[in-house]
Amino acid sequence: MLDQEEKYRAPALEKGLDIIELLSLHADGLSRGDIAKALSKSNSEIYRMLTTLVRRGYVLRSADDLYSLSLRMFALSQRHPPIQRLLEAATPLMRTASERAWQSCHLAVENNADIVVIASAESPGNWSLALRPGTIIGLGNTSAGRILAAFRTDPGIDELLRRHRLATGEPKLKRADFLSHINRVREWGYERMRSETAVGVTNLAYPILSSERQAVAVVVCPFLERIDELKVPSLDEAHAIFSELARSLSNFYNGYLAVAE
């Protein structure tokens, strides 16, 4: 008996997607024979698929019979901005993670070289530390800033540093120290640091990664340690909860996870 995944396969759709993914790697186009050879398919199979993709406007056919992607995929993607979709998916998951950890959390992105909070979820307890959406925070002195810088190319970091404007209260950035932090974050895959803006807070931060391993956003938990009789998750337990949240959102951003509405 076929397993569920095999039972519900759609071979024709998969062939079409294989062609689109292959052509995305060849901006100058490929011949039908080259496509068939690369995908280990017959010319007739590929011909039928290409005819459909050309008719629907996803693939262009040149005068010399080379096939390349059109801009239709890009146009469709603009109808549903990925960060907005991510935000819609993240909000209930952030709330659930905060309830499990008994800690607040927030989601931040880089926008025009500013680090901006775009969503937050409060702790279920009587008190919490939650940043308001729209708050602009530091680059060099926050876990969010370090994560968003670390998971980009070195030229991208240079450009970020060149364009960044200091946030309220942010000290002048020392490049050598900042790059040292970045190297550590890259090695760990996350950031755990004593807050440089408030006493008694340990920041836990995790990247939401694109398929190219670039940080499109960051999940941050400003961890507050309780010293009363209420037993709540420890720092290490909170680390597990929020790192799993970031992994789930990375998968969702890249199309690998269906998040329930």
Side-chain angles (χ1 to χ4, degrees), residues 12-253:
L13 176 60
E14 290 188 1
K15 279 185 284 189
L17 294 174
D18 286 342
I19 291 172
I20 289 173
E21 291 177 357
L22 176 64
L23 291 179
S24 73
L25 303 175
H26 298 275
D28 294 333
L30 293 172
S31 70
R32 188 173 76 224
D34 289 336
I35 296 171
K37 182 177 180 181
L39 299 179
S40 300
K41 302 293 183 183
S42 69
N43 270 317
S44 61
E45 285 181 287
I46 295 303
Y47 176 76
R48 291 195 296 271
M49 285 274 92
L50 284 172
T51 299
T52 299
L53 290 170
V54 170
R55 177 172 56 82
R56 294 295 298 269
Y58 290 96
V59 169
L60 301 174
R61 181 181 179 183
S62 69
D64 51 354
D65 281 338
L66 292 180
Y67 295 87
S68 59
L69 285 184
S70 72
L71 292 178
R72 182 166 173 76
M73 293 289 286
F74 175 77
L76 289 176
S77 72
Q78 299 309 297
R79 299 179 186 176
H80 207 160
I83 290 297
Q84 180 60 37
R85 185 68 183 98
L86 176 66
L87 186 57
E88 293 170 0
T91 300
L93 297 183
M94 290 169 62
R95 189 178 303 118
T96 298
S98 288
E99 290 172 353
R100 289 176 58 203
W102 278 75
Q103 299 289 335
S104 301
C105 70
H106 55 269
L107 193 70
V109 298
E110 180 266 324
N111 180 54
N112 196 28
D114 290 332
I115 311 302
V116 185
V117 175
I118 60 172
S120 64
E122 293 191 6
S123 165
N126 294 329
W127 44 266
S128 66
L129 176 60
L131 298 185
R132 291 188 298 272
T135 300
I136 296 177
I137 58 179
L139 169 63
N141 66 331
T142 69
S143 56
R146 293 175 185 179
I147 287 284
L148 290 169
F151 292 92
R152 63 178 60 203
T153 63
D154 289 341
I157 292 176
D158 290 338
E159 178 67 8
L160 180 63
L161 293 176
R162 185 184 67 79
R163 298 173 57 219
H164 177 66
R165 298 164 296 181
L166 295 179
T168 301
E170 180 183 3
K172 186 176 180 179
L173 187 147
K174 297 180 180 178
R175 183 183 179 89
D177 291 342
F178 183 67
L179 294 180
S180 177
H181 292 310
I182 293 307
N183 289 333
R184 175 173 50 78
V185 169
R186 286 175 170 173
E187 180 181 350
W188 288 5
Y190 65 95
E191 175 65 301
R192 178 186 293 197
M193 59 176 279
R194 181 179 299 172
S195 173
E196 295 184 7
T197 59
V199 175
V201 178
T202 300
N203 287 327
L204 302 172
Y206 310 89
I208 298 172
L209 297 171
S210 69
S211 58
E212 293 79 26
R213 302 290 295 173
Q214 301 291 301
V216 296
V218 55
V219 173
V220 180
C221 167
F223 185 90
L224 297 172
E225 182 179 1
R226 294 195 70 124
I227 59 174
D228 59 9
E229 294 300 313
L230 181 63
K231 301 303 180 184
V232 297
S234 66
L235 182 65
D236 287 339
E237 290 168 328
H239 163 70
I241 291 169
F242 288 106
S243 60
E244 176 57 32
L245 170 62
R247 281 193 295 271
S248 295
L249 293 175
S250 293
N251 287 337
F252 175 78
Y253 184 86

